[in-house]
Amino acid sequence: MDESIKLPQLRKIIHLDMDAFYASVDQRDFPELRGKPLAVGGSPDGRGVVATASYEARKYGVRSAMSSRKAMELCPDLLFTFPRFEVYKEVSIKLQEIFSRYTDLIEPLSLDEAYLDVTEDKQGIGSALEIAKRIKIAIQSELNLTASAGVSVNKFVAKIASAIHKPDGLTFIGPSKIISFIESLPVEKFFGVGKVTATKMKNLGIFTGLDLKQRSEKKLIQLFGKSGSFFYRMVRGLDDRPVQPGRMIKSIGVEDTFENDLDDKEALNLELEKIAQKVEKRLKARNMQGRTLTLKLKFNDFVQITRNHSFCSYESDQDIIYQTAVLLLDKIDLQDKKVRLLGITLSNFQSENIPLLNPQLRLFKD
Ligand code: DCP
Ligand code: MG
């Protein structure tokens, strides 16, 4: 036998996600908020949406992206704080520093969430479970916060595992348990299965991983397009997507050069509306929201100017993008010149380290 032939090594992947991130940081910094139902974002006057809720508030059903009005109906004693993005960002940088003691293969998904590949860890610890434990202890003792971790041989299972025992959870799904774990998963847990796909699956009698596994790849593709072959592979534990540290997006924008230069504000606003629509589409395709909007304008003499506005929250909504761009445009003196190009860009994302999603995976969003 050729001794140089090696069996492929199983990877060791950790998915780590902070618990009620913004709310926990606020409760840490303001002791009077501890043990209380807290919403970060939104406001007690009923305006705006909740960015996240403390676990005390979740008992009442308060959730991320819920309107403040609804949240207060569910929990009349709910307290609100204004998000402190700079503080959350600082915590996120410290988290990255803790992760980097064990590996450089870190793929941040947002400020509070990352994949780590510890197949070969820097300290030669060898056990991914042990590394996850040490990371959780460091986060507790150095940052005074809790995280939940999932440990497995691929991203798909590690991510699902990290949510199982939240908050302060640690869940290890080893190679011998992977198949039965995936088979028993409700379909909603599969990446890319939103409400629409879940309903479609249930109408077809597909409720769990095992039900999915009993359909051929051809059938799944027929039913769900490209996502079908993703499901076919995931349900067999065949997830070889690497942990990718390098691929960052700093901004997302759209610009349009007009066939005929424009000088009429109404016509320009109409163009901004179309551009805002496209920007929203691009942001949503990547599940991203930005805090800074930049309006770019080029005159017919090729002089170019930009104007910025920073929001209080992360935004991706086309109406907000449009209205903000209109306000910025309104303040610009066109000096009787014509405009040949308009552009809108969003930047300052939740994480400066947001990786590009695998282009193939974008198709799996509902
Ligand atoms: N966030 C937001 N708007 C959303 C969802 C999240 O602004 N619609 C922000 C606030 C969260 C942070 O991102 O604190 C992290 O998001 P998570 O989905 O990880 O939620 P949490 O960390 O708050 O709670 P969990 O314990 O469920 O992870
Ligand atoms: Mg979290």
Side-chain angles (χ1 to χ4, degrees), residues 17-22 51-52 55 58 64-65 112 166 350:
D17 189 330
M18 301 298 286
D19 302 319
F21 185 48
Y22 294 2
T52 194
Y55 275 79
R58 291 184 197 195
S64 289
D112 87 321
K166 251 181 180 298
Q350 229 206 2

Side-chain angles (χ1 to χ4, degrees), residues 61-90:
V62 180
R63 297 280 180 271
S64 289
M66 183 179 271
S67 71
S68 304
R69 192 178 309 278
K70 174 89 192 289
M72 278 193 309
E73 271 168 31
L74 294 169
C75 177
D77 293 332
L78 190 63
L79 300 173
F80 288 88
T81 50
F82 196 74
R84 299 176 301 144
F85 297 108
E86 295 314 312
V87 179
Y88 313 138
K89 244 181 206 172
E90 258 171 52

